[in-house]
Amino acid sequence: MTRLLRMPGLAASDTSGVLAEWLVAEEASFADADALATVETDKALVDIEAEGGGVVLKTLVRPGSQVDVGAPIAVLADPGEQVADLDALLRELGVAGPDHQATDPVVPQRRDVPDTDPGSGSPVPEPGPVTTPTPTPDETPAPAPATSNGRVFASPLARRLARDAGIPIEEITGTGPRGRVLRRNVEAAVAARAASPAPSPPAAGSPEAAGGFHDEPHSRMRRLTAERLVASKREAPHFYLRATVRVERLLALRADLNETLDGVVKVSVNDLVVKAVAAAHQRVPELNVTWTDAAVRRWAEADIALAVATDRGLVTPVVRDVGGHTISSLAAAVRDLAERARAGRLRQGELEGGSITVTNLGMYGVEEFAAIINPPHAAILAVGAVREEPVVADGAIVPGSVMTLTLSVDHRPVDGVVAARWLAALTGLLERPVGLLA
C-alpha cells in the first residue's frame, strides 16, 4: 500500500533537519534497509533507511530544504504496486507536490577552514532562502556546486586537492552527479588560477589595504556548538588532573602486535589508549557515569567517544563496548568509524552515548592540552605526543619515552579522589600494558 515517508527526528531536541540528497530516484525500487535519502545533522550526514522494500513514487522535498520533523518528504509504494492517478493520490494524502510544505532551500555560504580546537564542533552554514529553477525535459542544466545547508558536495580527494591548492571548495563548479565536485574540477580550477593574471593590489584606503576584516555569519552548527560548550563550562564544574606516563613498553607492545597482525590491521598508540580507558572504567566504574537532573547514571559497558577531525570539523563517534573488543578488532572498529566520519556517513546512533571522550593531538606535536567536556559526558581525556625525554630510573638519569595525559572531569557526578584513582589505574595500564591483553 502507498504510504508517506516522513522527516525523522534524529535527536530528542530536533524540530527540523536539512534533506541533503535523495539516494533513490523517483519510480526506482529499493530493498529493506536501503538508504533512501541523506539528512544533514549537526555532526554528520545520516542516511534514512527503508523499513521494508518498495518504490519511490514521488519525492516531496528538494535537496537542500529545511524540513520540520514529521513532515512528509516522499510517497512510497509496495513492490509492484500500480498507481493509476498519482495526482489524485497526492491530493488524497494531503500533499500537492515538491513544494507542498514551507521548506526553504538553503543558500550556499562561504566558510573558512574550520576551527580544530578540541572542544569545537563542525561548522554548518546558516540556512536561508534560495530560488531553485526546475528545468524542462528539453533543457540541460548548467553544472553547479551541489549544496545542502551551505555544504558543497565533493569527493574526499577533491576536497583534499582543493585544500592543498588553497582554493575554497565553494568556489569550484562541480560536474558530477547533482553538481558534485570531482578531482577533474579541482584540477581545472587550479589550472585556471595559474593561467589568470595576478590580482591588482587593493586600492589605497580600502579596508583590505588597511588590514580590514570579513564578518562570517554564524552557522547553525557553530552557534549550536558555542551554546553547548558555553553550557558545558557554565553548568559542569570542570576540574583537571594531569599525569605523565612512560610508554616504552606500550610502544614495544604496539610494534609486536603490528608485526604479528602482519598488515591485517594497524594498531595505533591511540587504539591502545582507548583500550586502556575501557580497562580503567572496569577497575574504577565510578567514572563511567553521566549526570542527569534526577540521578547519576552508571553505565554497564565502556562506550567511548573518539574525537575525529574531518573536513567539516570534529565529530565524536562512539565505539560500543570497548572492553568486549580485542585490540585488533578495536583498531578495525576505530578505523571504520574514522573513515565514515570523514566521508560524512555516520549513523545518528553512532554519535550518541558514552561517558568519556578521548581526544588526541599528539600527531600534531602537541605535548599537552586540556579539553572541554563534551556534554553529557562526565570526562574527556586529552592525549599529547609521545616524546623522548631524560627520566629518572633507580636513581639514575636515563633516556625515556613519555606521554602527557590531561583528564577534564565534571565535578557533579565525580569527586576528585575517584578521578585520581581512575587516572592512576589508566597510568598503570599504559606503563604495564600486558594487562590490556587479558
Side-chain angles (χ1 to χ4, degrees):
M1 60 179 293
T2 56
R3 58 196 182 277
L4 290 173
L5 176 65
R6 298 182 181 275
M7 187 69 168
L10 301 171
S13 59
D14 285 350
T15 59
S16 65
V18 175
L19 191 138
E21 64 176 322
W22 287 104
L23 304 177
V24 178
E26 289 183 351
E27 301 182 2
S29 60
F30 56 85
D32 182 37
D34 279 356
L36 300 178
T38 300
V39 175
E40 187 161 13
T41 72
D42 295 322
K43 294 184 177 181
L45 296 178
V46 179
D47 290 339
I48 301 176
E49 296 183 353
E51 297 180 0
V55 177
V56 176
L57 289 181
K58 186 72 175 178
T59 59
L60 304 174
V61 175
R62 292 189 179 93
S65 296
Q66 184 108 8
V67 186
D68 291 339
V69 170
I73 58 177
V75 180
L76 309 180
D78 289 338
E81 183 176 357
Q82 300 295 320
V83 176
D85 190 340
L86 180 58
D87 291 337
L89 173 63
L90 293 176
R91 289 192 296 271
E92 180 182 339
L93 293 173
V95 293
D99 295 315
H100 73 96
Q101 59 177 330
T103 57
D104 295 328
V106 292
V107 173
Q109 294 184 5
R110 178 183 176 275
R111 60 184 172 90
D112 298 329
V113 176
D115 183 4
T116 56
D117 182 85
S120 67
S122 33
V124 178
E126 199 76 68
V130 68
T131 301
T132 307
T134 303
T136 64
D138 295 330
E139 293 177 341
T140 301
T147 61
S148 170
N149 202 19
R151 187 181 62 83
V152 175
F153 290 112
S155 69
L157 176 59
R159 288 188 181 276
R160 181 174 61 80
L161 293 174
R163 183 171 61 248
D164 292 345
I167 303 177
I169 197 73
E170 295 86 351
E171 296 180 5
I172 301 174
T173 298
T175 60
R178 297 185 178 89
R180 185 180 180 88
V181 178
L182 306 175
R183 174 179 180 175
R184 62 175 178 268
N185 303 136
V186 179
E187 292 173 342
V190 172
R193 173 171 288 194
S196 63
S200 301
S206 68
E208 292 81 7
F213 58 86
H214 167 72
D215 279 343
E216 182 178 351
H218 296 311
S219 68
R220 184 169 63 113
M221 163 51 70
R222 179 56 62 191
R223 192 184 302 277
L224 177 61
T225 298
E227 291 172 356
R228 284 173 57 83
L229 294 180
V230 168
S232 177
K233 289 291 286 186
R234 181 180 63 243
E235 297 172 7
H238 286 52
F239 69 92
Y240 307 91
L241 300 179
R242 176 181 172 275
T244 299
V245 186
R246 291 192 62 177
V247 292
E248 293 91 352
R249 293 181 182 179
L250 190 76
L251 297 178
L253 174 62
R254 174 178 177 263
D256 288 344
L257 286 169
N258 284 329
E259 182 178 354
T260 301
L261 294 170
D262 193 24
V264 174
V265 64
K266 188 173 182 180
V267 177
S268 70
V269 170
N270 202 61
D271 296 331
L272 296 173
V273 171
V274 172
K275 183 67 173 175
V277 167
H281 268 6
Q282 292 177 340
R283 298 186 181 192
V284 187
E286 296 93 333
L287 195 80
N288 190 14
V289 298
T290 51
W291 175 268
T292 72
D293 290 339
V296 174
R297 182 165 297 164
R298 302 189 180 277
W299 297 94
E301 295 179 345
D303 298 337
I304 299 173
L306 309 172
V308 178
T310 75
D311 287 341
R312 303 176 62 243
L314 290 180
V315 294
T316 52
V318 177
V319 183
R320 305 293 177 192
D321 189 19
V322 174
H325 280 279
T326 64
I327 292 177
S328 59
S329 70
L330 173 62
V334 168
R335 179 175 179 177
D336 172 65
L337 284 174
E339 288 177 349
R340 288 193 290 111
R342 296 185 183 104
R345 292 298 177 186
L346 291 171
R347 293 182 290 274
Q348 183 67 23
E350 294 171 327
L351 294 165
E352 299 173 345
S355 62
I356 188 171
T357 304
V358 174
T359 178
N360 190 333
L361 293 180
M363 66 287 294
Y364 300 106
V366 176
E367 294 186 358
E368 65 175 281
F369 63 102
I372 298 174
I373 297 169
N374 180 29
H377 292 174
I380 183 169
L381 180 71
V383 182
V386 174
R387 59 192 187 276
E388 299 295 322
E389 286 189 357
V391 298
V392 177
D394 298 326
I397 297 177
V398 297
S401 297
V402 299
M403 179 172 66
T404 298
L405 308 173
T406 305
L407 182 68
S408 306
V409 187
D410 182 350
H411 212 326
R412 293 174 300 175
V414 179
D415 292 333
V417 66
V418 170
R421 287 171 46 222
W422 185 92
L423 189 57
L426 178 68
T427 299
L429 287 161
L430 294 174
E431 291 187 338
R432 293 175 294 279
V434 67
L436 302 179
L437 301 177

